[in-house]
Amino acid sequence: LENERSKFISYQYNWKLVKLLSSIKGNDPKYYKNFFESTLAFSNTSDSFKLNLYPIAFKNTDEDHWESWHFEKTGFPTKALYLSWCQLNRFPNLKLFAENHSPKAIICTGSSYKTHFQMAFSGLRSAFDEMESKLIGDKYLYWKHINKGNTILFIIPFLGQGGLKSDAEIKVFGDEIATILSKFKPK
């Protein structure tokens, strides 16, 4: 188990995710390793978890990025078909998960997938819903109440290239999420 946690925290995206969670909890992101160890964040005993919206993670989000091994693994000849299948079959299960477990917050990274996150956690029709937003620096934080008002869905820029890169940026977004959550009263 210790080896799995060491591997988890060795990935840049994951340690930035821990920095964000640490910031939300009121800590300095530079001490993310201490936070990760002391809280057991993202372990099976934690109140936080991580999942990919689409089961296959892509380093390149370009629609043309689809290789023969993708077809062999999924049975879909194009990325568009794979994404559509997930939207019609996986997304309803993600929404059901949110309804059954009523997390206080769901934090999604990657603003360019805003519509996808809305569909996944509040239904396909929600693709047309407006979200509250706040410009922080030159990047947006989006949020809305979902799950009959029991959960806040947050969408932030990706944690890395083109998104939140520095501890300062991560901290500002974490602090803003914490402020919004501090005023939140689930129904």
Side-chain angles (χ1 to χ4, degrees):
L1 242 152
E2 183 61 35
N3 194 25
E4 286 178 34
R5 290 193 51 78
S6 294
K7 185 178 178 184
F8 179 90
I9 200 68
S10 71
Y11 292 104
Q12 182 182 39
Y13 178 86
N14 290 346
W15 50 260
K16 287 184 177 185
L17 190 61
V18 172
K19 287 181 177 194
L20 178 67
L21 183 59
S22 177
S23 296
I24 292 168
K25 301 281 187 171
N27 301 301
D28 188 326
K30 72 181 174 184
Y31 301 114
Y32 74 97
K33 285 186 180 177
N34 291 339
F35 175 82
F36 183 68
E37 292 168 8
S38 67
T39 64
L40 295 175
F42 301 103
S43 73
N44 61 358
T45 61
S46 171
D47 65 353
S48 58
F49 71 94
K50 175 191 163 201
L51 63 79
N52 284 337
L53 189 58
Y54 297 101
I56 297 175
F58 295 99
K59 291 184 183 204
N60 181 337
T61 58
D62 183 357
E63 287 288 324
D64 293 332
H65 186 258
W66 195 255
E67 300 173 16
S68 62
W69 74 266
H70 291 111
F71 173 73
E72 297 302 325
K73 190 168 188 111
T74 67
F76 296 109
T78 67
K79 187 175 185 179
L81 286 173
Y82 165 73
L83 296 177
S84 295
W85 185 92
C86 289
Q87 291 164 1
L88 294 172
N89 295 281
R90 178 176 168 81
F91 285 13
N93 290 316
L94 294 175
K95 182 179 182 288
L96 188 61
F97 178 83
E99 290 169 354
N100 288 339
H101 296 281
S102 290
K104 189 172 185 178
I106 297 173
I107 302 170
C108 305
T109 63
S111 301
S112 63
Y113 279 83
K114 184 172 75 135
T115 301
H116 298 236
F117 292 126
Q118 288 187 103
M119 292 187 311
F121 295 105
S122 58
L124 296 180
R125 185 164 233 354
S126 69
F128 303 101
D129 293 352
E130 293 292 321
M131 297 186 80
E132 293 185 63
S133 65
K134 181 173 184 176
L135 183 62
I136 302 173
D138 63 347
K139 298 172 178 82
Y140 279 95
L141 167 67
Y142 299 96
W143 71 94
K144 76 175 193 176
H145 294 85
I146 62 168
N147 189 19
K148 298 178 184 168
N150 290 306
T151 303
I152 301 178
L153 175 68
F154 292 97
I155 301 172
I156 67 171
F158 188 70
L159 296 173
Q161 188 172 353
L164 305 180
K165 294 178 258 182
S166 70
D167 283 4
E169 285 182 310
I170 291 169
K171 176 89 172 114
V172 171
F173 272 77
D175 289 348
E176 189 61 35
I177 290 170
T179 298
I180 294 166
L181 286 172
S182 72
K183 299 172 187 171
F184 176 54
K185 304 285 186 251
K187 295 186 178 189

